[in-house]
Amino acid sequence: MRIGVLTGGGDCPGLNAVIRSVVRTAGAHYGSEVVGFRDGWRGLLENRSTPLDVAAVDGLLTRGGTTLGSARVAPEKLHAGIDEMKCTLDEHGIDVLIPIGGEGTLTAAHLLSEAGVPVVGIPKTIDNDIDGTDLTFGFDTAVSIATELIDRLHTTAESHQRVLLVEVMGRHAGWIALHAGLAAGAHLTLVPEEPFDVDEVVRLVCERFARGDSHVIGVVAEGAEPLPGQMAFRRGGVDEFGHRRFTGVTQQLGEELERRTGKEVRATVLGHVQRGGTPTSFDRVLATRFGLHATIAAHEGRTGQMVALRGTEIELVPLAHAVARLKTVTAERLAETRAFTG
Amino acid sequence: MRIGVLTGGGDCPGLNAVIRSVVRTAGAHYGSEVVGFRDGWRGLLENRSTPLDVAAVDGLLTRGGTTLGSARVAPEKLHAGIDEMKCTLDEHGIDVLIPIGGEGTLTAAHLLSEAGVPVVGIPKTIDNDIDGTDLTFGFDTAVSIATELIDRLHTTAESHQRVLLVEVMGRHAGWIALHAGLAAGAHLTLVPEEPFDVDEVVRLVCERFARGDSHVIGVVAEGAEPLPGQMAFRRGGVDEFGHRRFTGVTQQLGEELERRTGKEVRATVLGHVQRGGTPTSFDRVLATRFGLHATIAAHEGRTGQMVALRGTEIELVPLAHAVARLKTVTAERLAETRAFTG
Amino acid sequence: MRIGVLTGGGDCPGLNAVIRSVVRTAGAHYGSEVVGFRDGWRGLLENRSTPLDVAAVDGLLTRGGTTLGSARVAPEKLHAGIDEMKCTLDEHGIDVLIPIGGEGTLTAAHLLSEAGVPVVGIPKTIDNDIDGTDLTFGFDTAVSIATELIDRLHTTAESHQRVLLVEVMGRHAGWIALHAGLAAGAHLTLVPEEPFDVDEVVRLVCERFARGDSHVIGVVAEGAEPLPGQMAFRRGGVDEFGHRRFTGVTQQLGEELERRTGKEVRATVLGHVQRGGTPTSFDRVLATRFGLHATIAAHEGRTGQMVALRGTEIELVPLAHAVARLKTVTAERLAETRAFTG
Amino acid sequence: MRIGVLTGGGDCPGLNAVIRSVVRTAGAHYGSEVVGFRDGWRGLLENRSTPLDVAAVDGLLTRGGTTLGSARVAPEKLHAGIDEMKCTLDEHGIDVLIPIGGEGTLTAAHLLSEAGVPVVGIPKTIDNDIDGTDLTFGFDTAVSIATELIDRLHTTAESHQRVLLVEVMGRHAGWIALHAGLAAGAHLTLVPEEPFDVDEVVRLVCERFARGDSHVIGVVAEGAEPLPGQMAFRRGGVDEFGHRRFTGVTQQLGEELERRTGKEVRATVLGHVQRGGTPTSFDRVLATRFGLHATIAAHEGRTGQMVALRGTEIELVPLAHAVARLKTVTAERLAETRAFTG
């Protein structure tokens, strides 16, 4: 059998570990061959590929990034290019395609699947907002990095009696903010799922200092927003890889807080360091298991599906289900943070 | 309401985070008070305690170890001491006891529960061998540390053409070895659940060098054993905290391999570094959620239970179920490693 | 003898380790007492202090920040307050004052020394720009953090064919940029000591992509500037702790590069994470030795001096020498980077 | 010009960074070519080599180990093989040889130099025991790893009231023990330079527990020994890469302490994790500068020398001087630890 692999969307620790896992499983379990398509869907559209054997994936387990490259392709180009992509797959004799990516990539995978291409998707997002799976690889690494950096900011805030706001990734879902906030003992966590009330944030800051606490650490998801009308809030321009081109919510909130509380406020935007570099052991195991089970599913003809973590098991869920909606932070999970904030 | 807390058994990253979580939840959600008993069950037997308020748990989230101390108590002492323990609980007006610990601690908790004491257990073990929960806190930290250290050993093994055997914790269950082996790209993983065949290990080592591979990394759980009769194997004396007092399996296997393959073999025993220090972000979140939900269960009268991770949710399982058997590595999970070893 | 201690200026990993070292040396070697003044010079001006004994410094070796607090005091206030400060020192019976801080703090220390107060200074700056000492504590930690984070950015840049600019601290001296750039394999390092030519930077970026290199990593000290007239450069507002309030040089350069090269450029400002959290082992040793030798000098009456690292030894240099000029990156050290950039 | 490079002796973080630096400097500054000899001196004896260009050293800056391999060669073989080695150098047209290694490698380098081969040595040892240079690369990484691991052991020792002895590398010099002990706040540091008195160690342990301290952390260099006649001490068999084949000093001391103090004592041997994996930023900078300046010296004809760190500068010292004696821990440096132990 011949398997095709590609990686789409933004960077995510564990992509290379998945590629290695697919290649090793295909080779060791089934004697199958693997072809990698370069730069995401563009590789299929433009017929750019590379053979992947065990030697080619040596050392990839621990390496961040994706050896296949990635690129953005506009959805309309994908729609228009289905025939070219099928043509490329035919030319390479690909029996099953394993695309690794986030919402956009999996939506395209679903499209191809509907068009008759056997596909097994592998969910990837540091934001953890893909439905149908407990977790995605990359998320644990992002939370780990954010947590380590917030740990570092704590002592400075404490020694210098500061309010420190830390912006983490998460434009539509606040999972990184929720977990890093819990893990690093933030006094305030703001997520996209629930608009924040600036007056309440001001009150929290004032109350902490009033009762003698030395500092405030706030974790802010990049997609968090104040209640309508507050702070004269203006959403910054954000490109599709999460890069802020203008002053974002955290900087604006910081200025508002400094003005209204009279405290020194600092805003730190963690940015791309959250999505690069070697994966945590958790993400290496998850990425490896995803690659393994996707390859098994491909060989067993269980296509049109996506691998998913459910409890301790890797299962298959229909692609249609996975892309139907974003998995956002629930009210119950937000309520859990209340005993630990303020 | 008054809550009692104690920590039993060996050290585990996240114990302090659980204590903090119980205290903050009890205070912030319910206005309840918390009493900590010192040195595990001994604190109950000898009536040694300390009040725990929010100030007392400040900074505990990130700190390894347990501020309450821990100690070993022989099971027969616990059986004989139930009345003293109930007496101590009465004296402090404890409504619900929250013991945090591994198999031994939870068995004692079950005993007390059967004797009429309202108890909510919190499972703790770096070994991840408690049944009824997907994972326990401490495990992710142990795997992370082991993985980072094995990453370091890889380059030395490669440059110096060595066989490096790394012993990780796990006397009865091979979860740390399984995950660290997958995460660090070990060529060989030996666990207690499946006796290893020394002849096969020798063959694997020889084959790797024969086909030009530069090195071999093997991960060995401390409880792994060869097939009966092989290697003249003699189990080393191991105390209940996992400390090896004599030469263990890894050293014996290393000597056997060196003798039979003619390669340089080194054995490294990671030891206690796996169970100390600051928890990973994953374990901090899990420990915090365990403490939160145990405290909620205590206040809602759902006792005789243990908190457990099931998928993404924290649920309750009967203590009786949790202590009925050890959760060991399944054949399916071992099979998963096959594409990545050799 | 009675020793006074205070910490001034911005946060720096190792401050607490110095305080601990002074207290332990004074106690163990000399049976002397130590008084800590709170919030830098403000503690002397406003007579706010705390006794420091061995118990008070327990656990400080590994903790970031400063348990004594720090604050900014305007130089003119210090000049005007010399008599109040002497008065406070008299009231506490302080025989020698040990101020720990950067250029500002040491200048004030020199002032007090000239006014007859026995002083032994301890140089502190993550920027490493204090003259007379090979290195200052905090610098190694800052470089380590920056390097780890740039390591993470490498794989993303490579996979996504990006230009990534990373802004590190260093308003007047480029030591962090120089060392982190060398350590992380940056293709471009920009420092305050040498205005950069935007045309050359554009050329470097284009040449790298032209010859098939996949990415560019640039390390930019926050105080770097283009040649006069280039880029319509506007210096951002920067407060005295290095916080950028407006768009800084890195963002402006990024926009210029994106416009002129057509490549995707991302700018990341590492910010305060460089100056918080636990010190590296190198900085813990240096901070401990600085505290030790300053306390010995205080007891031996060698005052009006600052401790300094010279080779492997801790020596004393006159405060007057230390504050005479900033230690900036030399042309020779910049030349060293040339074989490794481009 | 043609430069030869080889790496000898045990593994050391930074070896690859030196190789990369030599190749990049030779290429970028001088347009010279570099030939790598495989497996240390054996590559010269057996004429096994590989050309090294800029592409060949891509990615080596951050990678542990040595891409050239290393091997042990008996000194008498080296003496007997000088003509073969010169022959190999001639055959490859090598103008200057740059051997990177510890005492053994540099002694051989000196031998070759005396025999008329232009040589520039680069000192390498995690033990930091080469004379003539302030520091060697690899040492900072070894101390960092040891310190991080001892940090982890602290909390366990504290929670469980233990004596924890940690064995670090250092057969003849106690630099790693000295620095890791200072950096991690050890209560006891034992080095090869000063035989320890077991009675005093017993007293220290008892006194700490007597005055209410909860634990003892001891750092023991593998080459430490008790006073003659104490503990019935038997030196374990140690091979030349520092691997203990029998029970070493730390285990023997642990058993003695447990017997005499009645406290629980645990011994951990850190082993090879201290010498593998990615170098710290400090070691990457030092390794890079060593490679740079050795290559410059080679091109300027300043041979028969070794590069050395002196303060902040890289200088040259005669090979004869470097190999004349081991650099061991001085009495002054040991005295510095006294305020911090006990």
Side-chain angles (χ1 to χ4, degrees):
Chain A
M1 191 179 270
R2 285 173 67 84
I3 303 283
V5 168
L6 62 82
T7 53
D11 200 13
C12 180
L15 282 169
N16 273 328
V18 176
I19 296 169
R20 167 186 178 268
S21 175
V22 168
V23 171
R24 299 210 41 161
T25 306
H29 279 206
Y30 300 101
S32 295
E33 292 180 337
V34 180
V35 175
F37 294 97
R38 293 199 172 283
D39 301 332
W41 298 109
R42 193 178 290 170
L44 269 192
L45 289 168
E46 303 174 2
N47 195 0
R48 289 187 293 112
S49 68
T50 182
L52 290 173
D53 59 12
V54 169
V57 298
D58 189 42
L60 287 195
L61 174 61
T62 61
R63 204 179 306 161
T66 163
T67 189
L68 289 175
S70 185
R72 286 169 284 169
V73 184
E76 54 275 15
K77 272 208 177 165
L78 287 174
H79 274 87
I82 289 186
D83 288 343
E84 280 94 329
M85 294 196 282
K86 289 176 81 168
C87 200
T88 303
L89 292 167
D90 271 359
E91 191 181 320
H92 290 276
I94 300 302
D95 297 295
V96 183
L97 180 68
I98 299 183
I100 309 161
E103 199 207 353
T105 304
L106 295 175
T107 301
H110 184 47
L111 203 74
L112 270 186
S113 175
E114 298 282 291
V117 177
V119 169
V120 182
I122 298 185
K124 172 234 71 162
T125 157
I126 63 163
D127 292 342
N128 195 35
D129 58 2
I130 296 178
D131 204 21
T133 181
D134 286 354
L135 287 169
T136 43
F137 66 87
F139 173 65
D140 186 63
T141 305
V143 172
S144 289
I145 298 167
T147 301
E148 277 175 38
L149 294 176
I150 301 170
D151 280 355
R152 290 204 165 270
L153 296 172
H154 259 291
T155 53
T156 299
E158 211 171 332
S159 300
H160 289 70
Q161 281 138 52
R162 295 265 178 75
V163 178
L164 275 181
L165 302 180
V166 187
E167 185 172 308
V168 298
M169 285 191 166
R171 279 200 296 159
H172 304 299
W175 293 109
I176 294 177
L178 182 82
H179 279 241
L182 270 179
H187 309 109
L188 173 73
T189 300
L190 304 178
V191 296
E193 287 85 350
E194 194 179 66
F196 59 88
D197 182 340
V198 181
D199 300 334
E200 263 182 40
V201 175
V202 169
R203 199 174 312 127
L204 181 149
V205 168
C206 292
E207 279 176 10
R208 277 189 61 82
F209 284 102
R211 67 169 182 257
D213 284 318
S214 59
H215 68 302
V216 180
I217 299 277
V219 176
V220 185
E222 62 182 325
E225 294 201 359
L227 287 174
Q230 288 189 327
M231 267 172 54
F233 179 70
R234 198 174 55 87
R235 170 132 306 281
V238 183
D239 71 28
E240 78 225 60
F241 288 98
H243 179 67
R244 291 184 323 96
R245 297 192 161 267
F246 313 118
T247 298
V249 59
T250 311
Q251 184 71 19
Q252 292 177 55
L253 175 61
E255 284 162 17
E256 180 83 1
L257 284 184
E258 194 157 270
R259 201 174 53 74
R260 289 179 58 180
T261 67
K263 297 290 168 188
E264 282 191 73
V265 183
R266 295 290 179 275
T268 295
V269 180
L270 297 187
H272 278 74
V273 298
Q274 294 163 84
R275 55 164 74 250
T278 193
T280 58
S281 52
F282 185 96
D283 280 336
R284 294 186 198 173
V285 171
L286 184 57
T288 297
R289 295 183 76 201
F290 271 179
L292 171 79
H293 287 278
T295 310
I296 293 173
H299 282 84
E300 294 179 348
R302 293 182 286 147
T303 57
Q305 318 269 334
M306 173 188 89
V307 289
L309 178 69
R310 296 281 182 92
T312 60
E313 301 306 307
I314 309 297
E315 303 183 353
L316 291 172
V317 300
L319 276 168
H321 173 63
V323 301
R325 58 169 213 100
L326 273 192
K327 182 180 69 179
T328 50
V329 176
T330 60
E332 289 74 29
R333 292 301 306 275
L334 278 177
E336 287 188 358
T337 66
R338 263 168 228 153
F340 308 104
T341 48
Chain B
M1 192 179 272
R2 285 172 68 83
I3 303 284
V5 168
L6 63 82
T7 53
D11 200 15
C12 180
L15 281 170
N16 273 328
V18 177
I19 296 170
R20 166 186 177 268
S21 176
V22 169
V23 171
R24 298 208 43 159
T25 305
H29 278 205
Y30 300 101
S32 297
E33 293 181 339
V34 180
V35 175
F37 294 97
R38 295 202 171 281
D39 300 333
W41 298 109
R42 192 178 291 170
L44 270 192
L45 289 169
E46 302 174 3
N47 195 1
R48 290 188 291 112
S49 69
T50 182
L52 290 174
D53 58 13
V54 169
V57 299
D58 188 43
L60 287 194
L61 174 60
T62 62
R63 206 179 304 162
T66 163
T67 189
L68 289 176
S70 185
R72 286 170 285 167
V73 184
E76 54 276 16
K77 272 210 176 164
L78 286 174
H79 274 86
I82 288 187
D83 288 342
E84 281 94 329
M85 294 197 281
K86 289 175 79 167
C87 200
T88 303
L89 292 167
D90 271 359
E91 191 181 320
H92 290 276
I94 301 302
D95 297 295
V96 183
L97 180 69
I98 299 183
I100 310 161
E103 199 208 352
T105 303
L106 295 175
T107 301
H110 184 47
L111 203 73
L112 268 186
S113 175
E114 298 282 291
V117 177
V119 169
V120 182
I122 298 185
K124 172 234 71 162
T125 157
I126 63 163
D127 291 342
N128 195 35
D129 57 2
I130 295 179
D131 204 22
T133 182
D134 286 355
L135 287 169
T136 43
F137 66 87
F139 173 65
D140 185 65
T141 305
V143 172
S144 288
I145 297 167
T147 301
E148 277 174 38
L149 294 176
I150 302 170
D151 280 356
R152 291 205 166 268
L153 295 172
H154 259 290
T155 53
T156 299
E158 209 171 333
S159 300
H160 289 71
Q161 279 138 54
R162 294 264 178 77
V163 178
L164 275 182
L165 302 180
V166 187
E167 184 173 308
V168 297
M169 286 191 165
R171 279 199 297 159
H172 304 297
W175 293 109
I176 294 178
L178 182 84
H179 279 240
L182 270 179
H187 310 107
L188 173 73
T189 301
L190 305 179
V191 296
E193 287 85 350
E194 194 179 67
F196 60 87
D197 181 340
V198 181
D199 299 335
E200 262 182 41
V201 175
V202 168
R203 200 175 310 126
L204 180 149
V205 169
C206 292
E207 279 176 10
R208 277 190 61 83
F209 284 102
R211 66 170 182 256
D213 285 318
S214 59
H215 68 301
V216 180
I217 298 278
V219 176
V220 185
E222 62 182 325
E225 293 200 0
L227 287 173
Q230 288 191 329
M231 267 171 56
F233 179 69
R234 197 175 55 89
R235 170 133 306 281
V238 182
D239 70 30
E240 77 224 59
F241 288 100
H243 180 68
R244 292 184 321 96
R245 296 189 163 269
F246 313 118
T247 298
V249 58
T250 312
Q251 184 71 19
Q252 291 178 55
L253 175 61
E255 284 162 17
E256 181 83 2
L257 284 184
E258 193 156 271
R259 202 175 51 76
R260 290 178 59 180
T261 67
K263 297 291 169 187
E264 283 190 73
V265 183
R266 296 289 180 275
T268 295
V269 180
L270 297 188
H272 278 73
V273 298
Q274 295 164 83
R275 53 165 76 250
T278 195
T280 59
S281 52
F282 185 95
D283 280 336
R284 294 186 198 174
V285 171
L286 185 56
T288 298
R289 294 183 76 201
F290 271 180
L292 171 78
H293 286 277
T295 309
I296 292 173
H299 283 83
E300 295 179 347
R302 293 181 287 148
T303 57
Q305 318 268 333
M306 172 188 90
V307 289
L309 178 70
R310 295 282 181 91
T312 60
E313 302 305 309
I314 309 297
E315 303 183 353
L316 291 172
V317 300
L319 277 168
H321 173 64
V323 301
R325 59 171 213 99
L326 272 192
K327 182 181 70 180
T328 51
V329 176
T330 59
E332 288 75 27
R333 292 300 307 275
L334 278 177
E336 286 188 359
T337 67
R338 265 171 225 151
F340 309 104
T341 48
Chain C
M1 191 179 271
R2 285 173 68 82
I3 304 284
V5 168
L6 62 83
T7 54
D11 201 16
C12 180
L15 281 170
N16 273 327
V18 177
I19 295 169
R20 167 186 178 266
S21 176
V22 169
V23 171
R24 298 208 44 158
T25 305
H29 279 206
Y30 300 102
S32 297
E33 293 181 336
V34 180
V35 175
F37 293 97
R38 294 200 171 282
D39 300 332
W41 297 109
R42 192 177 293 170
L44 269 193
L45 288 168
E46 303 175 3
N47 194 2
R48 290 187 293 112
S49 69
T50 183
L52 290 173
D53 59 12
V54 169
V57 299
D58 188 43
L60 287 194
L61 174 61
T62 62
R63 205 180 304 162
T66 163
T67 190
L68 289 176
S70 185
R72 287 169 283 169
V73 183
E76 54 277 15
K77 271 208 177 165
L78 287 174
H79 274 87
I82 288 187
D83 288 343
E84 281 94 328
M85 293 196 282
K86 290 176 80 168
C87 199
T88 302
L89 292 167
D90 271 359
E91 190 181 320
H92 290 275
I94 301 301
D95 297 296
V96 182
L97 180 68
I98 300 184
I100 310 160
E103 200 208 352
T105 304
L106 295 176
T107 302
H110 184 47
L111 203 71
L112 269 185
S113 176
E114 298 282 291
V117 177
V119 168
V120 181
I122 299 185
K124 173 233 73 162
T125 156
I126 63 164
D127 290 342
N128 195 33
D129 58 2
I130 296 178
D131 204 22
T133 182
D134 286 356
L135 287 169
T136 43
F137 66 88
F139 173 65
D140 186 64
T141 305
V143 173
S144 289
I145 297 167
T147 301
E148 278 175 38
L149 294 176
I150 302 170
D151 280 355
R152 291 205 165 269
L153 295 173
H154 259 290
T155 54
T156 299
E158 209 171 334
S159 300
H160 290 71
Q161 280 138 55
R162 294 263 178 77
V163 178
L164 275 182
L165 303 180
V166 187
E167 184 173 309
V168 297
M169 284 189 167
R171 278 200 297 161
H172 304 297
W175 292 108
I176 294 178
L178 182 83
H179 278 240
L182 270 180
H187 309 109
L188 173 72
T189 300
L190 304 178
V191 296
E193 286 85 351
E194 194 179 68
F196 59 87
D197 181 339
V198 181
D199 299 335
E200 263 182 41
V201 175
V202 168
R203 199 176 311 126
L204 180 150
V205 169
C206 292
E207 279 176 11
R208 276 190 61 82
F209 284 102
R211 67 171 182 258
D213 284 317
S214 58
H215 68 301
V216 180
I217 297 278
V219 176
V220 185
E222 61 182 325
E225 293 201 359
L227 287 173
Q230 287 190 328
M231 266 172 54
F233 179 69
R234 197 174 56 89
R235 170 130 310 279
V238 183
D239 71 29
E240 77 224 60
F241 289 99
H243 179 67
R244 292 186 320 96
R245 297 190 162 269
F246 313 119
T247 298
V249 59
T250 312
Q251 184 71 20
Q252 291 178 56
L253 175 60
E255 284 162 17
E256 181 83 2
L257 284 183
E258 194 157 271
R259 200 174 54 74
R260 289 179 58 180
T261 67
K263 296 290 168 188
E264 282 190 73
V265 183
R266 295 289 180 276
T268 294
V269 179
L270 296 188
H272 278 73
V273 299
Q274 294 162 84
R275 54 165 76 247
T278 194
T280 58
S281 51
F282 185 94
D283 280 336
R284 294 186 199 174
V285 171
L286 184 56
T288 297
R289 295 183 76 201
F290 271 179
L292 171 79
H293 285 277
T295 309
I296 293 173
H299 283 84
E300 295 180 348
R302 293 182 287 148
T303 57
Q305 318 269 332
M306 173 188 88
V307 290
L309 178 70
R310 295 281 182 92
T312 60
E313 301 305 309
I314 309 298
E315 302 184 352
L316 291 171
V317 300
L319 276 168
H321 173 63
V323 300
R325 59 170 212 100
L326 273 193
K327 182 180 71 179
T328 51
V329 176
T330 60
E332 288 75 27
R333 292 301 305 277
L334 278 177
E336 286 188 359
T337 67
R338 261 168 229 154
F340 308 103
T341 48
Chain D
M1 192 179 272
R2 285 173 68 83
I3 303 283
V5 169
L6 62 83
T7 53
D11 200 14
C12 181
L15 281 169
N16 273 327
V18 176
I19 295 170
R20 166 185 177 269
S21 176
V22 168
V23 171
R24 298 209 43 158
T25 304
H29 279 206
Y30 300 101
S32 296
E33 292 181 338
V34 180
V35 175
F37 293 97
R38 294 201 172 281
D39 300 332
W41 298 109
R42 191 178 292 170
L44 270 192
L45 288 168
E46 302 174 2
N47 194 2
R48 291 187 293 113
S49 68
T50 182
L52 290 173
D53 58 13
V54 169
V57 298
D58 188 42
L60 286 194
L61 174 61
T62 62
R63 206 180 303 162
T66 163
T67 190
L68 289 175
S70 185
R72 287 169 284 167
V73 184
E76 55 275 14
K77 272 208 176 165
L78 286 174
H79 274 87
I82 287 185
D83 288 343
E84 281 94 330
M85 294 196 283
K86 290 176 79 168
C87 201
T88 303
L89 292 167
D90 271 0
E91 191 182 320
H92 291 277
I94 301 301
D95 298 294
V96 183
L97 180 68
I98 300 183
I100 310 160
E103 198 208 353
T105 304
L106 295 176
T107 302
H110 184 48
L111 202 74
L112 269 185
S113 175
E114 298 283 290
V117 177
V119 169
V120 182
I122 298 185
K124 171 233 72 159
T125 156
I126 63 164
D127 291 341
N128 195 34
D129 59 1
I130 295 178
D131 204 23
T133 182
D134 286 354
L135 287 169
T136 44
F137 66 87
F139 173 66
D140 185 65
T141 304
V143 173
S144 289
I145 297 168
T147 300
E148 278 175 37
L149 294 176
I150 301 170
D151 280 355
R152 290 204 165 269
L153 295 172
H154 258 290
T155 54
T156 299
E158 209 171 332
S159 300
H160 289 70
Q161 280 137 53
R162 296 262 179 76
V163 178
L164 275 182
L165 302 179
V166 187
E167 183 172 310
V168 297
M169 286 191 165
R171 278 200 298 159
H172 304 298
W175 293 108
I176 294 178
L178 182 82
H179 279 241
L182 269 180
H187 310 108
L188 173 73
T189 300
L190 305 178
V191 296
E193 287 84 351
E194 194 179 66
F196 60 87
D197 181 340
V198 181
D199 299 335
E200 262 182 41
V201 175
V202 169
R203 200 175 311 127
L204 181 149
V205 168
C206 293
E207 279 176 10
R208 276 189 62 81
F209 283 102
R211 67 169 181 257
D213 284 319
S214 58
H215 68 300
V216 180
I217 297 278
V219 176
V220 185
E222 62 182 323
E225 293 200 359
L227 288 173
Q230 288 191 327
M231 266 171 53
F233 180 69
R234 199 173 55 89
R235 168 132 310 281
V238 181
D239 70 30
E240 78 224 59
F241 288 98
H243 180 68
R244 293 185 319 98
R245 298 193 160 267
F246 313 120
T247 297
V249 59
T250 312
Q251 184 71 20
Q252 291 176 56
L253 175 60
E255 284 163 16
E256 181 82 1
L257 284 184
E258 194 157 271
R259 201 175 51 74
R260 290 179 58 181
T261 67
K263 297 290 168 189
E264 283 191 72
V265 183
R266 296 288 179 276
T268 295
V269 180
L270 296 187
H272 278 73
V273 298
Q274 295 163 84
R275 55 164 76 248
T278 194
T280 58
S281 52
F282 185 96
D283 280 336
R284 294 186 197 174
V285 171
L286 184 57
T288 297
R289 295 183 74 201
F290 272 178
L292 171 78
H293 286 277
T295 309
I296 292 173
H299 283 84
E300 295 179 347
R302 293 181 288 146
T303 58
Q305 318 268 332
M306 172 189 89
V307 289
L309 178 70
R310 296 281 181 94
T312 60
E313 301 306 307
I314 309 298
E315 302 183 353
L316 291 172
V317 300
L319 276 168
H321 173 64
V323 301
R325 58 169 214 101
L326 273 192
K327 182 181 69 179
T328 51
V329 177
T330 59
E332 289 75 27
R333 290 302 305 275
L334 278 177
E336 286 189 358
T337 66
R338 264 170 227 153
F340 309 103
T341 48

